[in-house]
Amino acid sequence: MRLYQLGKLGGPDALQLKEAEVPLPGRGEVAVRIRACALNHRDLNIISGNYTSVALKPGAIPLSDGAGEVAAVGAEVTRWKVGDRVAPIFVQRWLGGTLLPEYMPSALGGPSDGVLAEQIVLSEEGLVRIPSHMSFEQASTLPCAAVTAWHAALVKGQLQPGQTVVTLGTGGVSLFAAQLALLTGAQVIATTGSDAKIERLRGFGVSEVVNYRTTPEWDARVRELTAGRGADLVVEVGGPGSLARSIGALRYGGHVSVVGNLAGKSTLDPAVLFAKRASMCGIQVGSRDMFEAMNRALEVARLEPVIDRVFDFAEARAAYEYLASGKHFGKVVIRVP
Ligand SMILES: NC(=O)c1ccc[n+]([C@@H]2O[C@H](COP(=O)([O-])OP(=O)(O)OC[C@H]3O[C@@H](n4cnc5c(N)ncnc54)[C@H](OP(=O)(O)O)[C@@H]3O)[C@@H](O)[C@H]2O)c1
């Protein structure tokens, strides 16, 4: 079978296409025939050598996100049978409860082997059933981006019908956060740096869109759009460079779920958080319990992930380059033949 491995880090050339023996499951393990994989911003950081939060396994199979079907089960496996449609969980050891730092080396696609391969083997505990209405390509987008958005908006953000959430940009996490918020009956104010993406955001129900490049004081615009009250929640993917504005956009007692660090240097004065009696927390993707709860909601709502473009397996480098270009709206997917 074919798989990719991480070679010398520094850009898309780090992706090495290799031939390997088809892996077979041991006791308590499941072999998954991967049908599609999806990229996240983190995967760009990994191949460029800028991912420092957890040590990488040398020669790891890249990408955390994928979906496929169970091809074989090892001895004593009880959760799965051949043919089941599944996706891996991002941190393989985080099934529920509180995340512990010692779970992090089990994160897929760098710290541990990921999914950019025709077949992989995982513990039977490290998988969830994918929503029945989704194709493998759609389901491949869920493990990191969608679970992160669920955790940030609904678990830690506690978003309620009628509340207002701000999402930043039109990447994977932000579009899932917008879609989940709309499902919940919340109002979404989205930002984007691209006028061309404004109509696409409106197209799926986002009522207000602010261009953060042409309106750098977008926090003031959010307050205006909420009649001076401010937003209940910001799902923060900008990080150091946008956090001060995210807090500026909040209502008194609002919350910021800090997910990413796409933008610049910090200008944050912690006093602004206190002045608003606001809360802030860091998000790490989510547990298996969260993924399963989210999938039930996605299935009831028949939610369709937003896929921008699908690449062939042999074009993995081009898929990474496309994500790096920032032209995408939603997810970039790789089809596995
Ligand atoms: N903590 C976690 O567990 C976790 C999980 C997932 C992701 N993340 C992090 O969250 C961030 C987003 O990840 P992703 O995979 O959703 O990214 P992505 O799909 O690559 O999307 C990035 C998008 O963000 C927007 N953007 C770029 N620069 C920006 C800026 N300066 N301010 C505001 N928006 C900007 C752009 O949208 P427009 O063109 O519309 O402006 C861009 O397309 C990354 O930092 C990633 O590492 C963290």
Side-chain angles (χ1 to χ4, degrees):
M1 69 156 196
R2 292 178 304 162
L3 54 71
Y4 283 87
Q5 279 185 311
L6 292 173
K8 188 170 182 309
L9 302 181
D13 287 349
L15 298 169
Q16 306 287 325
L17 185 56
K18 301 263 174 74
E19 296 277 333
E21 294 293 313
V22 175
L24 296 173
R27 184 187 304 268
E29 290 179 334
V30 170
V32 181
R33 176 73 175 86
I34 296 290
R35 296 291 184 191
C37 302
L39 275 66
N40 292 284
H41 192 81
R42 165 188 186 258
D43 302 308
L44 298 177
N45 294 341
I46 287 176
I47 59 163
S48 60
N50 294 326
Y51 182 79
T52 50
S53 54
V54 191
L56 299 182
K57 174 185 168 190
I61 300 172
L63 297 187
S64 56
D65 287 10
E69 58 209 329
V70 172
V73 296
E76 295 172 22
V77 165
T78 55
R79 284 171 59 85
W80 307 107
K81 61 180 190 326
V82 171
D84 283 344
R85 288 162 29 98
V86 295
I89 61 172
F90 183 92
V91 178
Q92 285 283 296
R93 289 186 58 199
W94 190 18
L95 306 185
T98 307
L99 176 66
L100 298 175
E102 55 266 36
Y103 297 169
M104 290 308 296
S106 72
L108 299 181
S112 289
D113 280 325
V115 299
L116 192 52
E118 290 175 340
Q119 184 154 312
I120 63 169
V121 167
L122 293 173
S123 158
E124 69 160 333
E125 299 294 343
L127 298 164
V128 298
R129 190 174 306 281
I130 62 177
S132 58
H133 68 289
M134 284 191 193
S135 66
F136 288 121
E137 288 170 13
Q138 290 174 321
S140 74
T141 67
L142 302 177
C144 176
V147 176
T148 302
W150 176 268
H151 187 183
L154 295 167
V155 180
K156 289 284 171 38
Q158 297 274 302
L159 197 61
Q160 304 293 320
Q163 290 192 326
T164 300
V165 61
V166 177
T167 57
L168 306 185
T170 54
V173 173
S174 298
L175 284 194
F176 273 121
Q179 287 182 296
L180 292 169
L182 291 169
L183 272 189
T184 308
Q187 183 200 19
V188 177
I189 301 176
T191 71
T192 175
S194 157
D195 278 342
K197 295 177 179 175
I198 291 178
E199 283 316 307
R200 296 181 75 179
L201 280 162
R202 291 226 170 89
F204 73 85
V206 172
S207 55
E208 301 291 349
V209 184
V210 185
N211 185 322
Y212 59 80
R213 290 193 209 282
T214 54
T215 310
E217 292 176 357
W218 53 265
D219 50 333
R221 182 68 186 135
V222 169
R223 292 195 301 275
E224 230 173 76
L225 290 168
T226 52
R229 180 173 178 269
D232 299 277
L233 171 68
V234 180
V235 176
E236 216 331 313
V237 296
S242 58
L243 202 45
R245 297 229 176 263
S246 292
I247 295 168
L250 281 185
R251 69 165 164 84
Y252 198 81
H255 179 79
V256 186
S257 286
V258 179
V259 170
N261 55 1
L262 290 169
K265 296 240 181 312
S266 177
T267 52
L268 180 66
D269 172 2
V272 294
L273 194 69
F274 174 72
K276 280 208 170 157
R277 310 302 191 258
S279 58
M280 187 161 88
C281 71
I283 297 290
Q284 168 64 44
V285 180
S287 65
R288 187 179 77 188
D289 284 351
M290 291 183 210
F291 198 164
E292 288 177 335
M294 179 190 77
N295 281 351
R296 286 191 286 275
L298 301 187
E299 197 162 281
V300 169
R302 301 192 76 75
L303 185 140
E304 307 257 337
V306 181
I307 295 177
D308 180 288
R309 209 164 144 185
V310 182
F311 288 81
D312 286 331
F313 190 72
E315 302 174 318
R317 287 181 184 173
Y320 275 72
E321 279 160 2
Y322 182 64
L323 187 77
S325 77
K327 291 186 186 135
H328 60 292
F329 182 88
K331 298 301 297 183
V332 176
V333 167
I334 294 173
R335 187 186 296 118
V336 185

